Amino acid sequence: MGLPRTAAAAALPALALTASALAGCTASSSASIADQKTITVGVKADQPGLSLKGTGGTYRGFEVDAGTYIARKMGATKVEYATVTSENRESLLNKHKVDIVLASYSITAERAKLVTFGGPYYLAHQDIMVRVGENRIHQAHDLAGRRMCQASGSVSTSRVVSGLGIPAVTVPSPSYSACYQMLLDGRVDAVSTGDMVLAGFAAEGRSKVKVVGAPFSDERYGVGLRKGDIDGCEGVNKAITEMYQDGTASRLLRKWFGASGVHLVESVPEFEGCG
């Protein structure tokens, strides 16, 4: 039985409102950062060379400069920054607290289930940092039985212990800046992660710590975006390509890491693809 004419007429505004609300939800959930004029870049606050937050609240480092370049190339007229950690990168992206993340964010299959990755924007290599004067650790296998710092939310330690089967003694830490301090204090024997992260700390404490220069794996640093933002991912990849082609990437890498002694990769990394 159909609705009476008056009831049907009354139902039309409600149906229209419902359809409008659903359309709004669909548009919101599928919105891309490619359409935004303000982009908030998530960066770390405690990694010298990559991203360090100063006492005045200003962020400085390679990932800050690269994030600015990418956002501007995508059409953003305003670029803001917010602090992320290895533990909360995914949640802050999905809660729309940040729009893209450049935070030594290694691309892994597990992480790719939660976010869409643009890039990578740099191909780092996992290495080892020790105190100056340490003569027992020259390569990854020398970490067996040694105290190695395990930064919360990072996959670097598992590459040593699980990936290579090296029985290092892992010592938990909230971050790599804390790992660096633990190394200086003698509470751990080594810190192992991407050479860009280590290079920044080594430059800060050049008379106290050193990078051994024995890379043993690749770390593809990607730009994290909200899951499914294909347009945003393609825009990020286009911007990264231009950053390397116009010489900006080389200039920034030399600016922040030229004095570190770490081998710098100045060619465009092979992209993962946005599909």
Side-chain angles (χ1 to χ4, degrees):
M1 178 182 294
L3 286 171
R5 187 182 300 270
T6 53
L12 287 175
L15 289 172
L17 179 60
T18 302
S20 175
L22 288 173
C25 289
T26 302
S28 176
S29 62
S30 62
S32 171
I33 64 161
D35 304 319
Q36 294 182 194
K37 292 304 179 184
T38 298
I39 290 180
T40 301
V41 184
V43 293
K44 291 191 175 179
D46 58 355
Q47 291 189 337
L50 284 173
S51 179
L52 187 67
K53 188 177 183 180
T55 54
T58 302
Y59 296 87
R60 299 178 69 252
F62 173 75
E63 290 179 327
V64 178
D65 290 346
T68 301
Y69 182 98
I70 292 168
R72 294 293 188 193
K73 283 292 182 178
M74 294 182 69
T77 56
K78 184 177 182 181
V79 184
E80 300 177 337
Y81 302 91
T83 299
V84 301
T85 67
S86 295
E87 286 187 309
N88 67 15
R89 289 176 290 206
E90 291 89 359
S91 64
L92 292 181
L93 265 174
N94 291 321
K95 290 177 180 176
H96 292 246
K97 300 296 184 182
V98 296
D99 298 308
I100 61 175
V101 170
L102 287 86
S104 54
Y105 203 179
S106 297
I107 299 172
T108 67
E110 287 301 311
R111 288 171 176 168
K113 295 176 183 178
L114 303 174
V115 303
T116 289
F117 278 109
Y121 57 89
Y122 191 76
L123 179 62
H125 300 89
Q126 187 163 344
D127 212 316
I128 304 163
M129 182 169 66
V130 298
R131 287 183 295 278
V132 169
E134 169 61 72
N135 297 313
R136 301 167 298 175
I137 301 173
H138 304 282
Q139 58 180 329
H141 287 282
D142 295 332
L143 293 169
R146 305 300 178 194
R147 298 167 299 167
M148 182 175 62
C149 193
Q150 182 176 14
S152 179
S154 173
V155 298
S156 296
T157 305
S158 65
R159 287 198 183 102
V160 175
V161 178
S162 301
L164 299 178
I166 298 171
V169 179
T170 58
V171 182
S173 172
S175 65
Y176 279 111
S177 60
C179 282
Y180 170 67
Q181 191 59 52
M182 291 168 70
L183 182 64
L184 292 180
D185 295 344
R187 287 177 282 165
V188 297
D189 302 310
V191 179
S192 181
T193 189
D195 51 10
M196 289 288 95
V197 176
L198 300 181
F201 287 115
E204 183 176 275
R206 65 185 63 186
S207 64
K208 300 176 182 178
V209 298
K210 63 181 181 179
V211 180
V212 301
F216 54 89
S217 73
D218 295 339
E219 293 219 19
R220 298 163 300 155
Y221 288 167
V223 178
L225 301 96
R226 282 183 280 279
K227 187 66 176 176
D229 187 357
I230 304 304
D231 289 345
C233 176
E234 291 175 348
V236 165
N237 286 352
K238 181 181 179 182
I240 293 172
T241 300
E242 293 180 11
M243 184 173 72
Y244 276 87
Q245 290 179 340
D246 67 14
T248 299
S250 293
R251 177 177 58 81
L252 293 178
L253 286 167
R254 292 172 186 173
K255 170 185 176 182
W256 293 107
F257 303 108
S260 70
V262 171
H263 173 68
L264 300 175
V265 180
E266 299 183 28
S267 56
V268 185
E270 183 178 349
F271 292 156
E272 292 294 301
C274 296

